Amino acid sequence: MTELPPARPSGPPASEPSARPSVHLAIYDMDKTITHMPTWTPFLLHTARKSGAPWRLALVPFAGVAALGYVGRLISRGRLKYVMQRMMLGKRMTPAQERRSAEAFADRVVRDGVFASARARLEADRAAGYRLVMATASYRFYVEAIAQRLGFDAVIGTESLRDANGNLLAGIDGENCYGPAKLRMIEAWMAREGIAREDAHVRFYSDHVSDAPTFDWADEPFAVNAHGPLRLLATAKGWPMPDWER
């Protein structure tokens, strides 16, 4: 959970009192909230094609079997991430390989994979004095490059295991930033930043019902592109449901 340079100055919107809260945060989920599609599988496929080991694409059917295991609740979400990364990226990636892969994929996503309405909302929140924070279940090692291009100030994401030389390994370091764990990781980030909850006004944007704990915690929850269970929950709670897919 690393700060992204350069940080934007924070401050309250002109329409709100200047004394309290003193910090304004706009926290965004990424996959299918900001981006048109989930990014993890596309990142793996893109990197496998560009890495000099396109033969790994032959393993895609086996990754599909692992995905079915997750759907059938035979393996955890974290285990699924491990299996897919091990198949598509190999045992380890050097920091240089990791950086090249993340930068190349981020260029692709930001070029044609971001909702226009999401870009507009990011600009509006930034202009209103909000610090832009991305909180996503996707791995931070590749998400940061996307977040930097979109002007985010910080990223909270799933952390990766590394060896003694800093090489990227398959596997999660700590918690998968998903469901209740996402809220715990946001609160931990705020604590490290010295931001007390009572001193912060929080907007939160997500497309998925798994983020219900963070929706409930936020001052302004926005159920973006809501479908199915999230639409039902947002209707019951009275949360705004902006549609950025149009």
Side-chain angles (χ1 to χ4, degrees):
M1 288 155 285
T2 303
E3 283 293 314
L4 298 178
R8 302 298 197 280
S10 61
S15 61
E16 297 183 14
S18 60
R20 289 173 67 95
S22 59
V23 179
H24 289 71
L25 303 175
I27 303 176
Y28 289 74
D29 175 50
M30 184 179 70
D31 292 347
K32 300 186 74 175
T33 299
I34 292 174
T35 62
H36 296 167
M37 301 292 291
T39 58
W40 176 230
T41 299
F43 170 76
L44 294 176
L45 297 176
H46 179 270
T47 301
R49 290 190 191 100
K50 303 291 184 179
S51 66
W55 59 267
R56 290 189 179 279
L57 296 175
L59 300 175
V60 168
F62 298 98
V65 172
L68 289 175
Y70 168 70
V71 172
R73 299 186 178 182
L74 299 176
I75 62 173
S76 69
R77 194 179 187 91
R79 182 63 180 173
L80 175 62
K81 285 184 173 182
Y82 168 84
V83 170
M84 292 180 68
Q85 182 172 338
R86 187 69 176 79
M87 287 183 180
M88 294 294 102
L89 303 186
K91 187 174 182 180
R92 62 175 58 86
M93 292 180 74
T94 67
Q97 291 171 328
E98 173 191 336
R99 182 171 56 256
R100 286 196 300 269
S101 297
E103 296 285 341
F105 183 68
D107 287 339
R108 171 184 161 184
V109 170
V110 173
R111 182 180 65 248
D112 54 24
V114 175
F115 291 118
S117 294
R119 290 181 185 270
R121 187 65 191 218
L122 286 164
E123 290 299 327
D125 281 342
R126 183 184 298 111
Y130 282 79
R131 291 176 66 181
L132 304 182
V133 181
M134 185 179 286
T136 174
S138 294
Y139 283 108
R140 186 174 61 81
F141 79 85
Y142 78 89
V143 168
E144 281 195 329
I146 298 171
Q148 286 175 337
R149 285 158 173 74
L150 293 175
F152 277 88
D153 299 307
V155 172
I156 301 165
T158 301
E159 300 288 345
S160 300
L161 293 174
R162 296 181 183 275
D163 65 18
N165 296 317
N167 295 315
L168 182 77
L169 306 176
I172 294 173
D173 185 8
E175 292 192 284
N176 188 30
C177 189
Y178 180 83
K182 180 179 286 189
L183 178 55
R184 288 193 292 270
M185 293 172 75
I186 291 171
E187 291 177 322
W189 173 82
M190 289 175 65
R192 289 193 299 275
E193 292 292 302
I195 302 171
R197 181 64 184 91
E198 61 270 21
D199 294 333
H201 182 89
V202 179
R203 289 176 174 172
F204 179 66
Y205 305 84
S206 177
D207 75 293
H208 203 272
V209 72
S210 65
D211 283 322
T214 309
F215 279 121
D216 279 327
W217 169 87
D219 298 295
E220 292 184 78
F222 294 91
V224 178
N225 307 329
H227 297 279
L230 179 56
R231 177 166 288 276
L232 291 175
L233 180 61
T235 299
K237 296 276 192 175
W239 298 335
M241 290 184 281
D243 184 356
W244 293 348
E245 295 178 327
R246 290 185 294 182

